[in-house]
Amino acid sequence: QVQLVESGGGLVQAGGSLRLSCAASGRTFSRYAMGWFRQAPGKERDFVATISGSGVIRSYADSVKGRFTISRDNAKNTQYLQMNSLKPEDTAVYFCAARDGPTTTIISNYNYWGQGTQVTVSS
């Protein structure tokens, strides 16, 4: 069982930056692929980024490529999402997710979810 807690959301102006964190419980954090997803009001939850257990493999949604960076610190059981050049369309609740397997962009393949953290980008 893995419990995930996100933090770092908030209100930022367009062009600004935020760093989200996701703290995980448990002693086997490094075996889990991790992901970030987001859900805007009235829309489905969408893939943002994923990272392998070792941190070597990373992939991003086209909409955030070049602006967002996913990373992890296995010694701290924490993953991060550095978000730069934020746009109003990045406004959403951001969710941290984990799965005991390889990285994937498919939401249904993730077993564990955090409660989400709100990111609001003003124009």
Side-chain angles (χ1 to χ4, degrees):
Q1 191 76 9
V2 177
Q3 293 184 327
L4 305 172
V5 179
E6 302 97 335
S7 61
L11 174 64
V12 64
Q13 288 188 332
S17 299
L18 281 175
R19 187 175 82 155
L20 305 183
S21 299
C22 172
S25 65
R27 294 175 289 179
T28 57
F29 179 68
S30 61
R31 91 181 203 197
Y32 291 90
M34 301 296 295
W36 287 99
F37 292 78
R38 66 187 182 185
Q39 188 166 16
K43 296 188 176 181
E44 294 184 348
R45 193 172 298 187
D46 291 329
F47 166 75
V48 174
T50 184
I51 187 168
S52 62
S54 66
V56 172
I57 300 171
R58 311 178 193 198
S59 63
Y60 299 90
D62 288 343
S63 59
V64 307
K65 209 170 286 185
R67 300 188 297 122
F68 290 11
T69 302
I70 190 171
S71 62
R72 65 191 295 160
D73 185 337
N74 287 342
K76 295 182 178 180
N77 280 17
T78 302
Q79 74 154 345
Y80 305 96
L81 186 68
Q82 177 66 44
M83 305 185 295
N84 298 329
S85 302
L86 282 161
K87 305 174 181 180
E89 50 264 44
D90 294 319
T91 295
V93 178
Y94 283 70
F95 295 91
C96 169
R99 73 181 300 254
D100 189 1
T103 57
T104 177
T105 64
I106 301 172
I107 188 171
S108 60
N109 285 351
Y110 285 84
N111 310 104
Y112 305 101
W113 291 87
Q115 292 300 305
T117 185
Q118 176 71 45
V119 171
T120 303
V121 184
S122 63
S123 57

